Each structure stands twice: as C-alpha cells, then as structure tokens.
Amino acid sequence: VIKMNALWSFFCDGTLTVSCSGKVRENAPLLPHLGLKLTMPKEFENVEYFGLGDKESYPDRNKAFKYDLYKTSATEMYEHYIRPQECSNRFGVRYASVENDAGVGIVFSAIDKIPFCFKAIHYDANDLIESKHDFELPETDKTVLNIDWKVNAVSENSELDVPKNSRNLGDKSFDFGFKIVPYQK
C-alpha cells in the first residue's frame, strides 16, 4: 500500500529525528491515519501538549477548540463511547510530552513548524476493535502513543467520504517528520 523512505537520525544527546517520505499506491483505500505508533509502559501517564484541545479534535472537528498548552493524563485523554472506536486524537499539535511520576519522559516536536496529530491512551486499535462495549475494554499495562502526519476525518457524512476532499487522508504522496527528545527532570 505504501512505499516509504524513513530516515532515523540519532544524536549524542539522545535526540532522534524521524523524516518520512513516500507514495501511497494509487488504488489504495483511504488510510485512517499515517504516522508512528509507540507503546510504552502504563506508568507513562502524564501528558502535556500544545495544540487544539482540550478534548479530541480532528480535521473535520476542530473549529470549537483553541490553541493552548494542555496538561492531562493518558487515562483522561481516552474518550469514552458506548462502543469503542477511533478516539482521543489531538489535531494541530506542535509539541507533546509523555512522562512518568519520576519525571522520565519523551518530548515530541514538529519539524519546520508543521503540526502533527497526537494521542496517548492505554489502548491500541485492536483493543478498541475487539471490544463491543466500553466496559469490556481489557485492563492494559501500556500507554499507546500515536504521532501522525495526518488522520482521516471522522464525519459520517457520505459527501465527505471522498479522497479528493481535503478533510480526508487521500494523499498519494507525503513528506513529514518530527523530533523525539528523551528527558529526566
């Protein structure tokens, strides 16, 4: 579906820069999102981000939010729906960090001031897909982070469900990146 080049640049201070470019196959279906998923131990609970918030926001659902620095947790970031589904995305993020109570964490920042999408919750896509109801979600020992170049719109309006619509991830080429910096307070 995707042919991609990824350049991972490691620096002496622990900084990692990720640069990705590539093409999506012409007849590929719409992608739900395009980016990087990281799984960390559950104790990485404390979340801070500068972007549109303080609730979930998407390309088609962000006008009611303002840019600000928000502090929350991976537990609080999860949006509860009766039937588990895609949720909790933060749109237009320029900076995000996740840390544990000991002050050990990771900072994600935009390269060239190009914002990204971000979420940190205790479930991955399979946990959400395999649970029919919110109360059936499994107890997990992880914090799952998504750093995405773009995510698809969530509207169910069929007029929006076309690749040419700018609110959908119908792009056939991409070029994005971000910086990851570990820290300890």
Side-chain angles (χ1 to χ4, degrees), residues 43-46 98-106 183-185:
E43 64 262 16
F44 285 85
E45 172 75 9
N46 306 313
V98 179
E99 73 177 30
N100 64 17
D101 289 338
V104 175
I106 300 174
Y183 67 89
Q184 182 170 1
K185 290 182 179 175

Side-chain angles (χ1 to χ4, degrees), residues 70-105:
Y70 296 98
K71 292 184 181 186
T72 187
S73 68
T75 300
E76 292 170 348
M77 255 183 120
Y78 176 71
E79 293 287 338
H80 293 273
Y81 291 102
I82 293 170
R83 181 175 176 92
Q85 58 190 288
E86 165 58 38
C87 65
S88 307
N89 186 70
R90 299 310 194 260
F91 185 74
V93 175
R94 289 180 171 81
Y95 152 90
S97 70
V98 179
E99 73 177 30
N100 64 17
D101 289 338
V104 175

Side-chain angles (χ1 to χ4, degrees), residues 2-184:
I2 296 175
K3 190 172 202 172
M4 179 177 78
N5 291 317
L7 177 62
W8 297 70
S9 301
F10 296 87
F11 299 91
C12 295
D13 65 354
T15 299
L16 167 63
T17 301
V18 180
S19 300
C20 302
S21 62
K23 296 196 178 300
V24 178
R25 191 179 69 216
E26 225 20 74
N27 62 350
L30 284 177
L31 302 171
H33 58 97
L34 181 61
L36 178 71
K37 178 179 106 173
L38 301 170
T39 302
M40 302 173 70
K42 186 175 186 171
E43 64 262 16
F44 285 85
E45 172 75 9
N46 306 313
V47 177
E48 182 177 275
Y49 67 95
F50 181 82
L52 292 170
D54 69 329
K55 299 292 182 197
E56 67 180 7
S57 53
Y58 287 85
D60 57 337
R61 301 211 173 148
N62 65 58
K63 301 269 189 270
F65 300 103
K66 68 176 186 169
Y67 277 99
D68 206 344
L69 182 63
Y70 296 98
K71 292 184 181 186
T72 187
S73 68
T75 300
E76 292 170 348
M77 255 183 120
Y78 176 71
E79 293 287 338
H80 293 273
Y81 291 102
I82 293 170
R83 181 175 176 92
Q85 58 190 288
E86 165 58 38
C87 65
S88 307
N89 186 70
R90 299 310 194 260
F91 185 74
V93 175
R94 289 180 171 81
Y95 152 90
S97 70
V98 179
E99 73 177 30
N100 64 17
D101 289 338
V104 175
I106 300 174
V107 170
F108 303 89
S109 58
I111 293 177
D112 297 328
K113 300 181 182 175
I114 299 171
F116 53 91
C117 296
F118 168 78
K119 73 176 167 182
I121 61 176
H122 295 298
Y123 308 105
D124 61 27
N126 287 337
D127 296 329
L128 300 174
I129 291 167
E130 293 174 6
S131 299
K132 291 189 188 315
H133 300 94
D134 194 43
F135 66 86
E136 294 173 329
L137 283 165
E139 183 70 30
T140 69
D141 60 352
K142 62 192 173 200
T143 297
V144 180
L145 310 176
N146 283 84
I147 311 297
D148 291 315
W149 169 58
K150 284 188 178 180
V151 298
N152 213 343
V154 293
S155 176
E156 293 182 12
N157 183 337
S158 62
E159 293 175 17
L160 299 176
D161 193 23
V162 292
K164 67 183 178 205
N165 189 299
S166 64
R167 297 193 315 180
N168 286 323
L169 179 52
D171 304 67
K172 295 302 176 187
S173 64
F174 56 89
D175 188 5
F176 70 98
F178 48 88
K179 189 188 306 185
I180 303 172
V181 181
Y183 67 89
Q184 182 170 1

